[in-house]
Amino acid sequence: MFLLFMALALGLLNYYLWRRLVRATTTSRRARTAGAVVLGALFVMMMTAMALVRVDPIGYAWIAWPGYLWLALAFYLAVVLVVLEIPRLILNRWWRRDTPEPVTASLPASPAEDGVAVAVAEREFDRAATGTTGKPPVDNGRRLFIARSMAVATGLAATGIVGYGAKTALGGPQVRTVPVTLAKLDPALSGYRIAVVSDIHLGPLLGRSHTERIVRTINGLQPDLVAVVGDLVDGTVAQLGEAAAPLKDLVSKDGAFFVTGNHEYYSGHLEWISELGRLGLDVLRNERLTIARNGAAFDLAGVNDHTGGQLDDAPDYDKALGGRDERNPVVLLAHQPVQVREAAARGVDLQLSGHTHGGQMFPFSLAVPIQQPVTSGLATVDGTQVYVSNGAGFWGPPVRVGAPPEVTLVELRHNSALG
């Protein structure tokens, strides 16, 4: 169903590009046919990439690169064209008004006495004299000039955006330091540092070197604890186990923890839970533990992603959060920001999440609030603070626009104003 929906949407997208970039800019039937063939081939390549990488993300990386890059370029070509529709219409209207009115000739005598026949004859004569709209037409040379100018501007803008976005997505993650004040945090734990990373998305375009770079970044921060909040992989352990192996080199004082994201459930979550345990990560499956230091403590909890409910592995908030000492603050790892609704109802102080990619490619970020309460960064929802990471990888196109990849260092702080 997903591929069928994408085929329909992307088919319409490619047709729109043909209309604006080929049909509107050419007068030759041969050129229009050639453009249709090229765009059709790109559409087939894109859909083939999306289908094959779901079967074997490593073996079909060779087609994933051009397929996903065309997806990003096609998207931004369409975005720029839509933005330019208004100036295109204004120019066409302005030049139409600037075109001299055609000379009106007298209707030839007609023996027809029937009023309907006369009206039809008048309409046809008017169309022949002034064009199909009955208004002075825009000169074909002017119309072609507008269309071709728009096409060139669109191509340059979209290529520039995708180039910038690819450089951002494939570059190293930014380090963002975020102080978070917790009212119940003991002063002895003020300054406790949690390295948060999400949405690494190992798969056809991101492999072992990507993991090694993230591990180096995290270890360089010397965190007290590492939280990996889901969507690590887009493939099975057999396909991507080697790419994930550098996670065993994560170093922190109190360990590295993981909760499932929706993509783990598409990739064989039970095998990955076992594999991550072998690599030294503690997978929190609706569980909670106490982090203690210098006679002070806070609770760290983790719940499964909502998608687990389809595979008998649903999140269980009561199991993870019930029966705790409520004098201690609790930090919850949950992949999707929307899970904060359940967390807030159980008095969670801070939730750490990912999933949104910060929108990954603007203007997708404008649509995220339809499903999620927070797109990126720190916010408060129903009295619970939630931090949403942009993620360190990407899904689909290797492009990020307006949402750079990141590793976040969350610093827990005591509210000194409360004493």
Side-chain angles (χ1 to χ4, degrees), residues 43-374:
F43 169 74
V44 170
M45 178 184 68
M46 181 170 53
M47 293 307 305
T48 300
M50 295 179 68
L52 292 181
V53 297
R54 294 166 72 93
V55 177
D56 184 355
I58 304 302
Y60 292 106
W62 60 272
I63 196 171
W65 280 103
Y68 280 128
L69 281 171
W70 170 245
L71 174 58
L73 184 58
F75 171 72
Y76 278 112
L77 285 170
V79 168
V80 177
L81 283 169
V82 168
V83 171
L84 292 179
E85 285 288 354
I86 294 176
R88 183 184 69 83
L89 291 172
I90 291 173
L91 282 173
N92 280 338
R93 184 177 294 274
W94 178 69
W95 260 332
R96 178 183 292 118
R97 187 174 56 188
D98 192 49
T99 302
E101 293 283 347
V103 177
T104 302
S106 300
L107 279 170
S110 171
E113 297 296 330
D114 184 86
V116 174
V118 171
V120 170
E122 288 176 344
R123 184 168 63 250
E124 293 303 318
F125 183 80
D126 184 61
R127 287 181 175 178
T130 64
T132 57
T133 63
K135 298 178 180 180
V138 177
D139 177 80
N140 282 338
R142 290 178 175 180
R143 188 182 294 276
L144 278 173
F145 175 77
I146 294 172
R148 289 170 178 173
S149 299
M150 296 292 186
V152 170
T154 296
L156 291 174
T159 301
I161 292 170
V162 171
Y164 164 79
K167 181 180 179 182
T168 300
L170 297 171
Q174 297 182 1
V175 174
R176 181 186 295 189
T177 300
V178 178
V180 180
T181 299
L182 301 181
K184 293 188 289 185
L185 187 71
D186 192 291
L189 285 171
S190 190
Y192 192 92
R193 305 193 306 166
I194 303 174
V196 181
V197 64
S198 74
D199 302 278
I200 295 173
H201 282 292
L202 299 176
L205 307 184
L206 294 171
R208 185 183 177 98
S209 62
H210 177 58
T211 312
E212 290 173 340
R213 181 168 58 188
I214 290 170
V215 169
R216 286 195 303 270
T217 300
I218 291 174
N219 289 347
L221 298 175
Q222 298 182 323
D224 296 297
L225 184 149
V226 177
V228 184
V229 288
D231 278 9
L232 171 65
V233 292
D234 285 303
T236 65
V237 172
Q239 294 164 339
L240 297 172
E242 178 63 21
L247 292 174
K248 69 180 184 299
D249 298 323
L250 284 169
V251 177
S252 61
K253 297 175 183 177
D254 292 320
F257 298 86
F258 179 85
V259 290
T260 54
N262 51 307
H263 282 249
E264 274 68 59
Y265 292 101
Y266 312 146
S267 306
H269 69 288
L270 293 178
E271 287 188 347
W272 274 112
I273 288 168
S274 176
E275 177 67 9
L276 291 174
R278 190 184 69 80
L279 295 175
L281 279 73
D282 191 344
V283 181
L284 296 177
R285 303 181 67 192
N286 301 322
E287 297 172 278
R288 181 181 75 254
L289 51 84
T290 299
I291 304 295
R293 182 177 297 178
N294 301 325
F298 72 89
D299 289 335
L300 180 72
V303 291
N304 302 339
D305 184 70
H306 281 317
T307 311
Q310 302 171 16
L311 296 170
D312 197 29
D313 199 36
D316 188 334
Y317 300 92
D318 291 330
K319 180 181 176 183
L321 299 168
R324 70 183 188 276
D325 184 348
E326 297 193 5
R327 291 174 297 179
N328 293 334
V330 58
V331 176
L332 175 69
L333 310 185
H335 178 62
Q336 297 194 40
V338 72
Q339 294 178 269
V340 73
R341 306 291 187 192
E342 297 285 352
R346 292 163 178 79
V348 167
D349 298 272
L350 172 65
Q351 176 176 306
L352 302 175
S353 298
H355 186 65
T356 67
H357 297 200
Q360 184 167 323
M361 292 165 53
F362 182 85
F364 282 125
S365 55
L366 302 179
V368 173
I370 296 173
Q371 185 189 40
Q372 303 291 338
V374 183

